Amino acid sequence: MTGRLPALLAALGRRLPSDRLIDLLHHLNEAEGPDSPLLDRWSANHPAAGLAVQLSTLRTAWRDEVPQLSGAALALSLATAAEAEKGMDSPAELVVSGPTSPAIPVRLTSGIAVDVIRSARASLLIASFAAYGIPEVVTELRAAAERNVRIDLFLEESTAAARAFGPLGEHVRIWHRTDGDDARTSLHAKVIAADRHTALLGSANLTGRGLSRNVEIGVILRDSRAVGRLVDHLRWLTGPDGLLRRA
């Protein structure tokens, strides 16, 4: 396989969470070619920002470069590309809240926040200046706690952000700035770090508006070295020389 198609398959495999990837592979296996209405239907059912354009570009390359390739063969190629991506550190990926351009393949903050939480198997480190109106996030954190994920929340005390996580009780550990901190400072970071492999960084607070309606920009990091350093720094803040105390 030559031309643009391999790179397009790799990008799509890197972007799609496992449930969407499995659904697309099913549709591709049933598709007779790039013009199959099954693929139109899949695209309509997954209205993520820029995803329709990304799939359309892939279908155009399929049509132009290897029109004889069956949908089943393309599905196998996509599955192979996605599996290969699992073992590689990926570049930063753009995340937005608010209006999106259909020409740019970006992820929405609300969806990627849930994906990052779901990807954690051992630990979650979450920092936010404000937090409220996030029942889906609280539900995902409860599910993470049930699979024995250690959850640490770094929250700004002056905004009463901890109230949003009250239903989780002792399933989470909440950290605030120490009483001796300069009153003019605040805990302003916005981070969701899963284990040491994935982190969402950006301007959005953990609020309903921040994750969906406000104009916010962020990135997903899947570079284990960078995420590891970030996690180490956040953990240091909770140590003897750090600035955070248990609530």
Side-chain angles (χ1 to χ4, degrees):
M1 194 181 295
T2 59
R4 296 184 300 155
L5 197 53
L8 293 171
L9 288 169
L12 192 59
R14 182 166 57 244
R15 173 181 183 168
L16 291 176
S18 58
D19 56 338
R20 292 190 182 186
L21 177 63
I22 290 170
D23 193 34
L24 178 55
L25 292 174
H26 172 74
H27 282 70
L28 279 172
N29 272 309
E30 300 295 325
E32 295 182 356
D35 298 313
S36 171
L38 288 172
L39 300 179
D40 296 323
R41 190 179 310 156
W42 185 90
S43 185
N45 288 336
H46 298 278
L51 185 55
V53 172
Q54 195 172 0
L55 181 61
S56 177
T57 302
L58 184 145
R59 293 170 72 182
T60 298
W62 181 9
R63 186 183 305 110
D64 292 345
E65 296 172 10
V66 280
Q68 74 280 9
L69 197 69
S70 68
L74 195 71
L76 179 60
S77 298
L78 175 57
T80 302
E83 190 64 28
E85 289 290 336
K86 289 182 181 179
M88 300 173 60
D89 286 333
S90 303
E93 183 180 344
L94 181 63
V95 182
V96 303
S97 300
T100 62
S101 166
I104 302 176
V106 296
R107 303 286 304 278
L108 297 179
T109 310
S110 55
I112 194 59
V114 168
D115 286 349
V116 174
I117 293 171
R118 287 178 179 173
S119 74
R121 292 297 175 266
S123 66
L124 278 165
L125 290 175
I126 298 177
S128 187
F129 176 76
Y132 56 84
I134 47 171
E136 187 176 12
V137 170
V138 172
T139 296
E140 291 299 332
L141 290 178
R142 182 179 291 109
E146 290 173 353
R147 60 179 185 267
N148 297 317
V149 173
R150 173 185 173 181
I151 303 171
D152 291 279
L153 304 178
F154 300 172
L155 303 172
E156 173 58 32
E157 191 171 14
S158 67
T159 66
R163 292 179 183 173
F165 307 98
L168 297 174
E170 296 182 355
H171 293 298
V172 298
R173 305 195 311 172
I174 295 176
W175 302 81
H176 294 315
R177 288 179 297 115
T178 60
D179 293 333
D181 288 346
D182 188 329
R184 292 170 296 179
T185 67
S186 61
L187 198 162
H188 209 250
K190 291 92 175 181
V191 178
I192 303 177
D195 303 326
R196 299 175 69 86
H197 57 69
T198 305
L200 169 60
L201 312 177
S203 61
N205 282 302
L206 285 178
T207 67
R209 292 179 63 89
L211 295 180
S212 59
R213 297 176 60 189
N214 292 348
V215 177
E216 309 279 2
I217 299 292
V219 294
I220 314 165
L221 296 180
R222 295 192 178 90
D223 182 329
S224 57
R225 290 168 296 179
V227 176
R229 289 194 295 269
L230 171 64
V231 169
D232 288 342
H233 173 68
L234 294 174
R235 293 282 183 209
W236 176 84
L237 290 174
T238 67
D241 299 322
L243 302 175
L244 301 178
R245 58 173 172 81
R246 284 285 297 274

